[in-house]
Amino acid sequence: MERRPNIADVARLAGVSTATVSRTLSTPERVGAPTRARVLEAVAASGYRANAAARDLRQRRARAITLLAPNLANTFFSSIIAAVQEVADTAGLTVQISDSQVEGMRLAGLGADGRTDGILLLDGQLDPAMVKGWSVPIVMVCEWMPDATLPSVSTDNVAGARLAVDHLLDLGHLRIACLGGPEGNVLSAARAEGWRAALSARGVSPRPQDLIAGDFTMARGVAAAWDWAAQTDRATAVFCTSDESALGFISECDRLGISVPRDVSVVGFDDIEFSDRFIPPLTTVHQPRRQMGLLAAKQLVSALTEARPLDVAAEVLPSRLVVRASTTSPL
Amino acid sequence: MERRPNIADVARLAGVSTATVSRTLSTPERVGAPTRARVLEAVAASGYRANAAARDLRQRRARAITLLAPNLANTFFSSIIAAVQEVADTAGLTVQISDSQVEGMRLAGLGADGRTDGILLLDGQLDPAMVKGWSVPIVMVCEWMPDATLPSVSTDNVAGARLAVDHLLDLGHLRIACLGGPEGNVLSAARAEGWRAALSARGVSPRPQDLIAGDFTMARGVAAAWDWAAQTDRATAVFCTSDESALGFISECDRLGISVPRDVSVVGFDDIEFSDRFIPPLTTVHQPRRQMGLLAAKQLVSALTEARPLDVAAEVLPSRLVVRASTTSPL
DNA sequence: TTGGCGTATGTAATCGATTACACAAGCTGG
DNA sequence: CCAGCTTGTGTAATCGATTACATACGCCAA
């Protein structure tokens, strides 16, 4: 494993100065044609690749943005990631994807160590003090932080939840349970609030037993099926605040001999890829994930390329209900 | 947005040299206690964070490894990623996750730009010349490259496929179709080979129509259901070379009024999270994904920390069949 | 008292690129 | 014919940390 060639090696090989090599690669039009040819030949011959650390150091930027999400396993993030890659690619930026659930020390450095130019933050539950310590522009996506004043792109979670619950009410359901999300999460709160609001708008008051604790995961959806099934006078419909938990719930109902939608209607939230192909296909609230990713990435990238501060605005995109086969009228 | 403090600012604040600041942070035991206290105070007061680009440049390493996968949307990768993060974290390394399907130029630089110390490559279809151009250690995971001599960690795909097909044969199926994977992919080839081998071992010769073109995706699984359903004298069981395509296949069968497993048995490959919770739960070949991630990451990390070259070995872990409810005897 | 050693700290070279500035050659126009 | 401009290239400063080497001090044993 021999040493990587550096710019001086290339310069020597081409018989020019390092400055000329650098210019040939970054601003070719400022170099004479014969020289340029010699340099490019030397580059090819040596297999030279610029050292990013040296360039980042000198230019004080990294040509990279970081996407920071909790739990990359979540299928929900996939199309957002794809959209971000797309935008970054056309701007000549690299996307680094990192898990926001790793050890705190490493995270704190992330926004201040010169390795990234900007952050797309998909986790609303990080320590606000740490986030404030980051010295690069940040755009929040999907989630947001109630206190910190950061630009964000999200969907109208309250309205989405209302759409879902209104749909169930329209079908004639009166006892509608809500399978919640993680404690302290802004999405959990907003969706539960939408559920409550939709009910009270129709004069239905939610019973305490109808709010089932959850955490967005499939495993919790499975467990919730037992909780719900064990209740006397149980709800005839369940609004699950995530698709994953909805699918877990339905699957476990099936094993308990309870049929969806015949015995209980289920609505989800997110519209992940699998929902359309589940049996039964899941009625759910669709979030424009790709659009959110595009918008957030564009805001960040244009702030970076124009060296302009981000305006602290909360973009709220509409969500819509996708009615499939997991819901029907009671009885 | 004021300038980030650098090590000289901290040194000035603490009344010491930059060398002492650096030593305080990396080898505290080599600095006197009173000085150390003053420096740490100055660090805290200024909010100083070391610039990673400068450190990487000087130390000629990045304290980071890169995980390079095609299509991060694929749920298959999640637990591998988690396992890798775990190993890297305990070694004090950062994990960068990148998409191997981005523009070629950027990819070529990845392995030679000093931003990463090693690569876990989950894509076997990259240009071998480019991969050879990378000057950091590489470990392939799941997939492998037939020609390049790179260390790899994978499961026995041929044996796994045989397990699946043997299971169907044991149930009494004689006409067993195979829904293939992407053209040119090593996994596709191995799994199809296992299918063929299992059949011929029992004296069954696969009919041409029984090999259905696929690409591992759910969408293709859906389309394949039509292809298969349109056949006369169709197979009574289908071995799908990926879970995603199996779920798509089953879902579309359901819509076509064909019931799984009553009318057709289906086996998948991968054992992704959803498979256990699908209706019906999917019989599939389980791959030890977490174990593969752990093993590959450990190999890479120990090569890095011991500055030892990787030994070019192909670790092949066993796969096993998980029998669930998507398979049964014909008629 | 002095030579030798260990500890604590400072000085300055170094990593590899980019780029401000200097300079030389060639060209243009008055 | 020369001032002034353009074009092409080289010289050297620079980014911010780490670290080899130098130095200064205190302590102990001979």
Side-chain angles (χ1 to χ4, degrees):
Chain A
M1 218 186 280
E2 64 282 1
R3 198 174 56 84
R4 277 212 276 263
N6 63 21
I7 199 168
D9 297 326
V10 177
R12 210 170 307 123
L13 201 61
V16 299
S17 72
T18 62
T20 299
V21 175
S22 177
R23 280 190 287 254
T24 303
L25 295 173
S26 54
T27 52
E29 72 281 4
R30 297 185 44 197
V31 175
T35 315
R36 195 191 314 159
R38 279 217 316 289
V39 170
L40 290 177
E41 198 178 333
V43 167
S46 61
Y48 169 73
R49 303 224 139 256
N51 179 304
R55 172 190 292 147
D56 292 354
L57 175 59
R58 177 62 226 248
Q59 298 191 326
R60 297 146 144 278
R61 65 197 178 121
R63 291 187 158 77
I65 60 178
T66 297
L67 189 151
L68 199 53
N71 180 15
L72 294 170
N74 197 323
T75 44
F76 177 76
F77 296 127
S78 55
S79 48
I80 296 179
I81 295 179
V84 169
Q85 297 256 19
E86 208 173 292
V87 174
D89 232 46
T90 65
L93 298 173
T94 296
V95 180
Q96 308 286 5
I97 300 169
S98 291
D99 192 325
S100 62
Q101 308 294 65
V102 300
E103 296 256 340
M105 268 308 292
R106 235 182 293 298
L107 258 194
L110 200 148
D113 70 0
R115 271 200 184 126
T116 194
D117 294 332
I119 295 179
L120 290 171
L121 181 55
L122 283 79
D123 185 341
Q125 287 184 92
L126 296 183
D127 176 16
M130 182 183 71
V131 174
K132 252 172 214 128
W134 291 342
S135 56
V136 297
I138 304 170
V139 176
M140 297 220 51
V141 193
C142 297
E143 306 198 359
W144 60 92
M145 309 213 338
D147 42 352
T149 44
L150 289 174
S152 70
V153 175
S154 59
T155 49
D156 192 334
N157 285 272
V158 178
R162 292 197 61 159
L163 286 175
V165 178
D166 280 340
H167 166 66
L168 293 171
L169 288 164
D170 289 342
L171 286 171
H173 292 277
L174 288 172
R175 280 161 303 161
I176 301 175
C178 173
L179 171 53
E183 196 84 23
N185 179 288
V186 288
L187 301 177
S188 307
R191 293 173 192 176
E193 185 195 322
W195 165 70
R196 228 182 300 269
L199 291 182
S200 25
R202 302 268 187 119
V204 180
S205 59
R207 307 172 299 170
Q209 69 182 88
D210 283 341
L211 184 54
I212 306 170
D215 62 2
F216 290 162
T217 68
M218 200 160 58
R220 190 64 196 95
V222 169
W226 287 81
D227 296 349
W228 167 80
Q231 293 180 10
T232 56
D233 191 29
R234 59 199 188 199
T236 60
V238 181
F239 164 54
C240 300
T241 53
S242 84
D243 275 9
E244 272 208 36
S245 61
L247 300 184
F249 185 91
I250 296 176
S251 135
E252 193 63 12
C253 281
D254 185 70
R255 296 191 190 179
L256 292 170
I258 300 166
S259 158
V260 175
R262 202 193 56 214
D263 303 324
V264 58
S265 286
V266 176
V267 187
F269 203 115
D270 286 345
D271 197 18
I272 62 177
E273 262 81 22
F274 280 107
S275 298
D276 180 41
R277 285 290 154 188
F278 202 70
I279 301 173
L282 184 70
T283 296
T284 189
V285 179
H286 178 87
Q287 295 199 67
R289 295 187 281 156
R290 179 178 157 75
Q291 213 182 315
M292 283 193 282
L294 286 177
L295 187 57
K298 274 180 190 158
Q299 290 193 351
L300 184 61
V301 166
S302 70
L304 290 176
T305 54
E306 297 163 27
R308 171 178 56 70
L310 280 161
D311 27 312
V312 182
E315 290 275 355
V316 179
L317 305 180
S319 42
R320 64 170 209 277
L321 184 72
V322 182
V323 177
R324 300 204 181 97
S326 65
T327 48
T328 189
S329 298
L331 289 200
Chain B
M1 219 187 283
E2 64 282 0
R3 195 174 59 82
R4 277 212 277 263
N6 63 20
I7 198 168
D9 297 326
V10 177
R12 210 171 305 123
L13 202 60
V16 298
S17 73
T18 62
T20 299
V21 175
S22 177
R23 278 190 287 254
T24 303
L25 295 174
S26 53
T27 52
E29 72 281 4
R30 297 186 43 196
V31 175
T35 315
R36 196 192 313 159
R38 281 217 315 288
V39 170
L40 290 177
E41 197 179 334
V43 166
S46 61
Y48 168 73
R49 302 225 139 256
N51 179 304
R55 171 189 294 148
D56 292 354
L57 175 58
R58 177 62 226 245
Q59 300 192 323
R60 297 145 143 277
R61 65 196 179 122
R63 291 187 158 75
I65 60 178
T66 297
L67 189 151
L68 199 54
N71 181 17
L72 294 170
N74 197 324
T75 44
F76 176 76
F77 296 126
S78 54
S79 47
I80 296 179
I81 296 179
V84 170
Q85 297 255 20
E86 208 173 293
V87 174
D89 232 47
T90 64
L93 298 172
T94 296
V95 180
Q96 308 287 3
I97 299 168
S98 290
D99 191 325
S100 62
Q101 308 294 65
V102 300
E103 297 257 339
M105 267 310 290
R106 234 181 293 297
L107 258 195
L110 200 149
D113 69 0
R115 271 200 184 127
T116 195
D117 295 331
I119 295 179
L120 289 171
L121 181 56
L122 284 79
D123 185 339
Q125 287 184 90
L126 297 183
D127 176 17
M130 182 182 72
V131 174
K132 252 172 216 129
W134 292 342
S135 54
V136 297
I138 304 170
V139 176
M140 297 221 50
V141 193
C142 297
E143 305 198 359
W144 60 91
M145 311 213 338
D147 42 353
T149 45
L150 290 174
S152 69
V153 175
S154 59
T155 50
D156 192 334
N157 285 271
V158 177
R162 292 196 62 160
L163 286 175
V165 177
D166 280 340
H167 166 66
L168 294 170
L169 288 164
D170 289 342
L171 287 171
H173 293 276
L174 287 171
R175 280 161 302 159
I176 300 174
C178 173
L179 172 53
E183 195 85 24
N185 180 287
V186 287
L187 302 177
S188 307
R191 293 173 193 177
E193 186 194 322
W195 166 71
R196 227 182 300 269
L199 291 182
S200 21
R202 304 268 186 120
V204 180
S205 59
R207 308 171 301 171
Q209 69 182 88
D210 284 341
L211 183 55
I212 306 170
D215 61 2
F216 289 161
T217 68
M218 200 158 59
R220 190 63 196 96
V222 169
W226 286 81
D227 296 349
W228 167 81
Q231 293 181 10
T232 57
D233 191 28
R234 60 199 187 197
T236 60
V238 181
F239 165 53
C240 300
T241 53
S242 84
D243 275 9
E244 272 208 37
S245 61
L247 300 184
F249 185 90
I250 297 176
S251 134
E252 192 64 12
C253 281
D254 185 70
R255 296 192 190 179
L256 291 170
I258 299 168
S259 158
V260 175
R262 203 193 55 214
D263 302 325
V264 59
S265 287
V266 177
V267 187
F269 204 115
D270 286 344
D271 197 19
I272 61 177
E273 262 82 22
F274 280 107
S275 298
D276 180 40
R277 286 289 154 189
F278 202 70
I279 301 174
L282 184 69
T283 295
T284 189
V285 178
H286 178 86
Q287 295 199 67
R289 296 187 281 156
R290 180 177 156 73
Q291 213 182 316
M292 282 193 283
L294 287 177
L295 187 57
K298 274 180 191 161
Q299 290 193 351
L300 184 61
V301 166
S302 70
L304 290 175
T305 54
E306 299 162 26
R308 170 176 58 70
L310 280 161
D311 28 311
V312 183
E315 290 274 356
V316 178
L317 304 180
S319 41
R320 64 170 210 275
L321 184 71
V322 182
V323 178
R324 300 203 182 97
S326 66
T327 48
T328 189
S329 298
L331 289 201

